[in-house]
């Protein structure tokens, strides 16, 4: 017979997954919806499908890491402690929403479990050290890759991605036969179709990467406790994420949900591609990655690269009215470092985001440790 406490634990886990679906659908498919490429229901459906694919394939690696490898004795994962850990994760999401900063759910989940492990004396410091090292390395990699793209490749990408919307919908449905068949609208050009496919494809990649990393944040404690098997846990978590995508994510899709999707379309694609690729790579290693921190540093790197890119020196007009621009004379000239103010990031906003994204996990770690160590019902 299923205990009432297990039902409560499953409901809390699904609530966390529900919030994950609501908070990640906007960043993933905001550019596609904002560009008119797909509708909100289609975005929600794609979010659910690709999140589940990511969770079912690579996501189980991260669930195993958090649920059984981060602590040397999984006996600390009772139903009561599992529900408490999920509570701290839910509070972190709430704090992030209150301050308008997307908190790192992965870092908070690791922090809460680490607090439990410390209180019980069962934390595996080697595994914790491996996770922390990747947390430091991955944003640095994201920063430098985005910086290089922003400095040397961005302008060409911008030309390729730029979409000039034609009149009418991108697709129409041919209902002349017995089975309706979607077809490309006759006014849609190839460039527009390619740009649309790129934007939607990047959104699917982001949804997949979210599944590989974030599913563990919702179900790892219950799986680690042995009260819920891996496959049912992933299925329930994926279902809750899909419900969140179809409901509370509609608002984030309208407002583009995060600073990433408020960037120009090309910049949003670069940041999403770099961040998602790193998250998928880390998930394959079983490392719970923080998409929001990697994406934040990617935004900074892209802005820095754009601000210091090499551009031709401006022409100088001589006294006789003739241009002294060597480029016009067909000769070579050294490029000059010219800052581009429009490409610069806001240092204060960036500092606030980075601070909050690190403070919230620390608070979760300390709060979990003090709770599990000194509240008598947990028995540590």
């Amino acid at each position: 017979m299923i205990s009432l406490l297990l039902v409560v634990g499953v409901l809390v886990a699904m609530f966390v997954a529900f919030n994950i679906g609501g908070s990640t659908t906007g960043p993933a498919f905001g550019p596609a919806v904002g560009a008119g490429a797909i509708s909100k229901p289609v975005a929600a459906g794609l979010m659910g499908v690709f999140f589940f694919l990511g969770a079912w394939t690579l996501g189980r690696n991260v669930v195993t890491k958090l649920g059984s490898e981060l602590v040397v004795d999984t006996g600390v994962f009772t139903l009561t402690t599992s529900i408490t850990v999920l509570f701290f994760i839910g509070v972190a999401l709430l704090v992030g929403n209150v301050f308008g900063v997307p908190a790192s759910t992965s870092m908070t989940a690791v922090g809460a479990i680490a607090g439990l492990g410390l209180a019980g004396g069962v934390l595996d410091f080697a595994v914790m050290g491996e996770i922390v090292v990747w947390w430091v390395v991955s944003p640095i990699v994201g920063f430098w890759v985005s910086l290089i793209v922003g400095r040397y490749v961005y302008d060409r990408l911008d030309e390729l991605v730029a979409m000039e919307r034609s009149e009418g919908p991108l697709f129409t449905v041919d209902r002349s036969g017995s089975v309706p068949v979607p077809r490309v609208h006759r006014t849609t050009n190839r460039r527009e179709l390619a740009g649309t496919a790129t934007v939607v494809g990047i959104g699917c990649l982001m949804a997949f990467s979210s599944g590989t990393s974030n599913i563990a944040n919702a179900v790892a404690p219950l799986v680690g406790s042995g009260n819920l098997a891996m496959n049912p846990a992933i299925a329930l978590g994926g279902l809750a994420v899909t419900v969140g995508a179809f409901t509370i994510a509609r608002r984030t899709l309208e407002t583009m949900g995060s600073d990433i999707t408020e960037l120009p379309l090309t910049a949003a694609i670069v940041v999403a591609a770099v961040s998602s690729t790193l998250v998928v790579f880390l998930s394959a290693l079983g490392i719970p990655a923080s998409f929001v921190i990697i994406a934040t540093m990617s935004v900074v790197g892209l802005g820095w690269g754009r601000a210091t890119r090499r551009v031709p020196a401006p022409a100088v007009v001589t006294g006789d009215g003739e241009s002294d621009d060597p480029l016009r004379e067909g000769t070579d000239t050294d490029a000059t470092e010219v800052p581009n103010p429009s490409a610069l990031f806001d240092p204060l906003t960036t500092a606030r985001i980075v601070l909050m994204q690190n403070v919230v996990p620390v608070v979760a770690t300390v709060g979990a440790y003090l709770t599990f160590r000194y509240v008598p019902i947990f028995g540590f």
Side-chain angles (χ1 to χ4, degrees):
M1 182 177 179
I2 300 177
S3 67
L4 178 61
L5 194 58
L6 177 58
V7 173
V8 173
V10 170
L11 290 177
V12 173
M14 293 185 70
F15 177 73
V16 173
F18 174 81
N19 281 282
I20 290 172
S23 62
T24 58
T25 303
F29 291 101
V33 173
I38 56 176
S39 64
K40 294 175 187 175
V42 172
L46 290 174
M47 180 68 196
V49 169
F50 282 92
F51 183 96
F52 178 77
L53 289 176
W56 191 264
T57 53
L58 300 179
R60 59 185 66 240
N61 298 336
V62 185
V63 174
T64 301
K65 180 77 75 175
L66 291 187
S68 60
E69 296 180 11
L70 188 56
V71 293
V72 296
D73 180 11
T74 57
V76 296
F77 283 119
T78 64
L79 274 176
T80 304
T81 59
S82 298
I83 293 172
T84 306
V85 166
L86 291 171
F87 168 78
F88 279 108
I89 298 172
V91 169
L93 292 174
L94 176 63
V95 171
N97 289 331
V98 168
F99 285 92
V101 176
S104 172
T105 313
S106 294
M107 292 179 67
T108 305
V110 172
I113 294 175
L116 169 63
L118 283 171
V122 295
L123 178 65
D124 191 324
F125 287 95
V127 174
M128 187 67 199
E130 179 188 8
I131 293 173
V132 171
V133 167
W134 279 111
W135 281 354
V136 174
V137 170
S138 55
I140 295 174
V141 173
F143 171 85
W144 281 105
V145 171
S146 299
L147 185 148
I148 292 171
V149 171
R151 189 167 187 179
Y152 300 109
V153 187
Y154 184 89
D155 289 336
R156 181 168 296 181
L157 286 176
D158 197 33
E159 294 177 359
L160 293 174
V161 172
M163 292 189 298
E164 296 180 3
R165 286 303 311 272
S166 57
E167 295 182 1
L170 293 176
F171 299 94
T172 57
V173 179
D174 184 0
R175 303 181 185 276
S176 59
S178 57
V179 178
V181 178
R183 301 187 186 280
V184 178
H185 195 269
R186 66 176 186 274
T187 62
T188 303
N189 56 63
R190 292 183 179 180
R191 183 183 182 88
E192 180 181 3
L193 193 60
T196 300
T198 300
V199 175
V200 175
I202 292 297
C204 293
L205 175 61
M206 289 183 68
F208 180 86
S209 70
S210 178
T212 63
S213 182
N214 282 328
I215 188 64
N217 303 326
V219 304
L222 292 179
V223 174
S225 68
N227 290 284
L228 193 62
M230 178 75 76
N231 289 347
I234 292 176
L236 290 171
L239 176 62
V241 166
T242 303
V243 174
F246 273 100
T247 53
I248 59 175
R250 296 182 67 87
R251 183 176 179 182
T252 63
L253 283 169
E254 290 176 358
T255 60
M256 300 303 176
S258 73
D259 291 338
I260 296 175
T261 53
E262 290 172 358
L263 295 171
L265 184 59
T266 304
I269 291 175
V270 171
V271 171
V274 171
S275 305
S276 299
T277 301
L278 283 171
V279 170
V280 170
F281 169 74
L282 293 177
S283 297
L285 300 178
I287 303 298
S290 171
F291 179 89
V292 291
I293 289 184
I294 296 174
T296 299
M297 295 309 298
S298 181
V299 169
V300 175
L302 185 64
W304 201 326
R306 291 283 293 150
T308 59
R309 72 193 190 282
R310 299 182 71 82
V311 298
V316 178
V317 179
T318 61
D320 57 6
E322 294 183 0
S323 172
D324 191 27
D325 184 0
L327 291 180
R328 297 195 177 191
E329 300 296 328
T331 60
D332 294 332
T333 184
D334 292 335
T336 304
E337 300 292 340
V338 181
N340 178 12
S342 63
L344 291 171
F345 56 90
D346 185 346
L348 293 178
T349 301
T350 302
R352 180 174 64 90
I353 292 174
V354 172
L355 177 64
M356 284 298 301
Q357 288 173 350
N358 286 276
V359 166
V360 171
V362 170
V363 170
T365 304
V366 174
Y369 171 77
L370 294 176
T371 300
F372 291 122
R373 183 69 179 83
Y374 295 106
V375 176
I377 64 171
F378 295 111
F380 292 124

